[in-house]
Amino acid sequence: MTEKLLDKKTLTKSYHKWMMYNLVAMSFEFLEAMGFALSMEPIADKLYSEEPEKKKEMMERHTAFYNTEPQVGALINGISAGLEEQKALGNSGITGELINSLKIGLMGPLAGIGDSMVPGMLIPILLSIGMGLSSNGSILGVLFYIVAYNCIMYFGSRYLFFKGYELGAESVDVFTGEKAQQITKAITVLGMTVIGGVAASYVKLEIPAKFALTGTEIDVQAILDGIFPKLAPLLVIFFSWYLMAKKNVSPVKLIMLYFIVAFAGVGLAYLF
Amino acid sequence: MNGTLLFQAVAVSIFCYLGALSTPWLLGLTGGWYTITRPLVSGMIVGLILGDLKQGILIGVAIQTVYIAMVTPGGQMPADLNFVAFPAIALAMLSNASTEVAVTLATTIGVLGTIVFNLYQVVNSFWNHRAVAAIQEGDYRKFRLNAIAGPQATNFISRFLPSFLVVYFGSGFAKTMLDSMPQYLIDVMSYLGGVLPAIGIAMLLTAVVKENSLFLFFLLGFVCIVFLNLNMIALTIVAGVIAYLYYTGSSKKGVVTPNGVVDEEDEEEF
């Protein structure tokens, strides 16, 4: 790219608008479309300051239904900005349809990557560390989470946005390619290990059943503790996972099920 | 009128609005929904407002476990975390509930809150159509009015009002209710509070686990805490080393066994 119409200031403005407004007017019908249009407005202003009809055409294009994981999805905004610039420069290969279909084509994969990387992995890992540091009521873990998450996301998304702009249409391969998948997997391994630790720390279930057999009292929990402490919580997690992943039981139904079991279980314990 | 409570309810409800999924003012999703609406963080904020920072953080940590892995694909929410994070935690603190009881209370309010969120999205369809029409007219000021101001006014009302009502009128009610509740129900809620985090963790596993071998790493983390008594930071370091080895291992092609990583990636590509 030799010629450029967009400067860094306009691009930064577009990035900030996206990060602020991505979900601003979300509805089932349009989801993030208004946020996308708002983020494209500075770009449209710059590219078509003299041509209101073309600006209108571009803005209308970006009000189409749109939905992705917004923070990783900043990449798509960058790509769109780069393509809109090429289009305004008169690159005949780039049409409105191409830009729209690229947006639609990318939003699914990036939502998949984004949802599993950000709320699926990064946030649980940072929260786990924060919860560990704050488990005694200390403020340290909370501050750690706030600073770490916001720094990673602000600069990370910003990097993706500008990288997307630089690479334009070429960037698709870089971020969904083989190496990216290996990194994703390695992070999944990291996340799974940490989540195992979180599960052990926070799920609590003790079985208070005690039986009197031939004069000696048998304490079920004490026996379990001797073999595998926390075995009951582990089984509850696997059982919940099995019902949700394999039997499509909704979390709300599961909560109700556990409520009934707890109700009956405590009742049973009261009887003895 | 209770002046202190009035102030506390207003402050909690303003944060409830700021942390909503759709509020832009704290760098959108990043500083709002994903930062102050995490119960870990909101526990601190509510604790500060109510004058007991430590108790706020302790309750925040306990409730955070339930929602550690809430992924909201396509805006579909199993629970409205925003109402959990602010009015529910405030209510739990004001009624001196134990952490386990607080968890159960918060989960219930969270499930009820999804109704409000769905209503908000329905109302936004109205604003969206007006915004699109404004662009067709070439009126960009009107566009911004209908894309930002209108939905945010709706958002503010739908967050501030329920939160305020729950905290201001609910705290007295919840305290009396908890005080007069039979020990039986308290016990049920305590057990439930201990088990509910399992659902949050299972939800994460459902979203992340694409192949069962990943459960080995989950088990490893579990065992590290139960038997080796590592703390979370030590565990993260161990996990990081393992992830690095996994990455370098999977990068070298040809060394991997037929059931290994290379094979699976090929399947994904074709």
Side-chain angles (χ1 to χ4, degrees):
Chain A
M1 278 190 270
T2 46
E3 227 181 322
K4 283 201 171 169
L5 292 172
L6 297 171
D7 51 28
K8 194 158 180 175
K9 205 178 138 207
T10 311
L11 289 166
T12 308
K13 203 171 164 191
S14 167
Y15 166 68
H16 283 150
K17 287 215 158 181
W18 170 245
M19 289 301 273
M20 278 181 75
Y21 296 126
N22 47 43
L23 294 174
V24 74
M26 74 183 298
S27 66
F28 293 112
E29 211 177 337
F30 288 86
L31 284 152
E32 296 163 6
M34 297 306 127
F36 205 99
L38 281 164
S39 105
M40 283 296 131
E41 208 185 345
I43 310 275
D45 278 339
K46 188 85 183 170
L47 294 177
Y48 303 116
S49 53
E50 310 283 306
E51 298 154 288
E53 273 311 304
K54 285 196 171 168
K55 179 185 169 186
K56 203 165 104 179
E57 186 205 313
M58 175 177 161
M59 287 300 287
E60 247 191 291
R61 174 160 58 244
H62 291 295
T63 54
F65 172 91
Y66 184 76
N67 190 38
T68 193
E69 198 292 305
Q71 299 163 106
V72 172
L75 179 74
I76 303 178
N77 295 64
I79 294 173
S80 300
L83 292 174
E84 287 290 356
E85 182 183 41
Q86 289 299 307
K87 186 171 182 297
L89 280 168
N91 187 331
S92 59
I94 295 168
T95 59
E97 288 79 53
L98 175 82
I99 297 173
N100 253 346
S101 56
L102 205 72
K103 265 173 70 184
I104 308 294
L106 282 175
M107 69 184 193
L110 279 181
I113 295 173
D115 280 341
S116 60
M117 294 282 276
V118 181
M121 278 297 134
L122 178 69
I123 291 178
I125 290 171
L126 294 178
L127 279 176
S128 308
I129 300 172
M131 286 156 73
L133 291 170
S134 279
S135 58
N136 55 355
S138 148
I139 198 169
L140 198 67
V142 186
L143 295 181
F144 162 81
Y145 176 76
I146 296 174
V147 173
Y149 180 68
N150 283 276
C151 285
I152 292 174
M153 249 20 287
Y154 178 80
F155 293 107
S157 302
R158 195 188 163 99
Y159 171 81
L160 287 172
F161 179 90
F162 279 94
K163 205 73 192 163
Y165 167 70
E166 258 173 52
L167 297 170
E170 293 165 40
S171 58
V172 185
D173 294 336
V174 179
F175 290 97
T176 52
E178 201 175 314
K179 193 164 181 138
Q181 283 180 7
Q182 279 168 1
I183 293 172
T184 310
K185 271 207 158 167
I187 293 173
T188 309
V189 166
L190 171 81
M192 284 298 283
T193 314
V194 173
I195 293 304
V198 172
S201 311
Y202 294 103
V203 183
K204 293 188 197 95
L205 178 61
E206 295 203 336
I207 299 159
K210 287 178 182 150
F211 302 102
L213 274 181
T214 62
T216 44
E217 198 186 50
I218 297 176
D219 184 339
V220 175
Q221 189 58 42
I223 296 172
L224 277 179
D225 284 346
I227 308 164
F228 191 143
K230 295 253 168 194
L231 182 64
L234 186 65
L235 292 178
V236 172
I237 292 164
F238 281 141
F239 180 66
S240 313
W241 171 80
Y242 174 76
L243 288 184
M244 281 199 267
K246 303 290 174 193
K247 300 281 169 202
N248 283 323
V249 177
S250 76
V252 177
K253 278 191 190 139
L254 213 54
I255 290 171
M256 291 195 314
L257 174 70
Y258 288 164
F259 179 76
I260 295 167
V261 172
F263 204 83
V266 174
L268 224 68
Y270 271 51
L271 286 179
F272 291 103
Chain B
M1 286 292 259
N2 181 339
T4 319
L5 182 62
L6 184 74
F7 164 77
Q8 289 169 337
V10 167
V12 167
S13 306
I14 287 174
F15 273 103
C16 183
Y17 164 69
L18 285 175
L21 184 64
S22 187
T23 306
W25 316 123
L26 298 173
L27 203 70
L29 208 56
T30 309
W33 178 249
Y34 280 137
T35 303
I36 67 166
T37 287
R38 295 306 104 181
L40 174 68
V41 180
S42 76
M44 179 189 77
I45 296 171
V46 173
L48 267 176
I49 293 172
L50 300 185
D52 190 346
L53 185 65
K54 191 171 176 185
Q55 183 62 12
I57 293 175
L58 288 175
I59 288 185
V61 168
I63 293 176
Q64 181 64 70
T65 335
V66 182
Y67 299 100
I68 188 146
M70 213 175 75
V71 185
T72 49
Q76 296 297 316
M77 278 208 255
D80 195 313
L81 193 54
N82 187 230
F83 283 133
V84 171
F86 292 99
I89 289 185
L91 199 59
M93 282 190 69
L94 285 169
S95 49
N96 293 320
S98 72
T99 46
E100 281 86 7
V101 173
V103 169
T104 309
L105 196 70
T107 317
T108 315
I109 292 182
V111 172
L112 292 175
T114 54
I115 303 167
V116 176
F117 180 68
N118 288 343
L119 209 65
Y120 168 66
Q121 288 210 64
V122 171
V123 174
N124 270 348
S125 276
F126 163 77
W127 296 113
N128 289 167
H129 283 288
R130 287 170 60 100
V132 173
I135 285 188
Q136 280 155 359
E137 291 163 27
D139 187 344
Y140 298 101
R141 203 184 148 266
K142 196 174 154 199
F143 164 62
R144 284 189 292 270
L145 219 57
N146 285 294
I148 303 172
Q152 283 316 303
T154 317
N155 192 18
F156 183 80
I157 294 167
S158 76
R159 293 288 140 186
F160 185 90
L161 218 58
S163 169
F164 179 81
L165 293 176
V166 165
V167 178
Y168 190 74
F169 295 104
S171 58
F173 173 70
K175 194 167 164 37
T176 332
M177 200 180 75
L178 282 178
D179 285 346
S180 61
M181 203 183 264
Q183 188 58 33
Y184 184 85
L185 264 180
I186 304 254
D187 281 352
V188 171
M189 283 173 93
S190 300
Y191 267 101
L192 208 56
V195 171
L196 285 177
I199 297 181
I201 286 158
M203 275 168 71
L204 177 67
L205 295 177
T206 309
V208 172
V209 175
K210 301 279 188 304
E211 52 202 282
N212 290 341
S213 65
L214 282 171
F215 278 120
L216 289 175
F217 296 103
F218 177 83
L219 212 56
L220 175 78
F222 198 92
V223 166
C224 277
I225 295 286
V226 172
F227 289 100
L228 303 180
N229 289 320
L230 296 186
N231 73 11
M232 209 41 95
I233 304 208
L235 179 63
T236 310
I237 295 169
V238 171
V241 172
I242 292 168
Y244 175 75
L245 292 174
Y246 188 92
Y247 174 71
T248 47
S250 66
S251 302
K252 290 190 193 93
K253 297 206 156 189
V255 189
V256 187
T257 56
N259 293 326
V261 183
V262 174
D263 227 30
E264 278 146 21
E265 276 180 4
D266 286 344
E267 273 167 31
E268 276 170 21
E269 269 175 23
F270 296 111

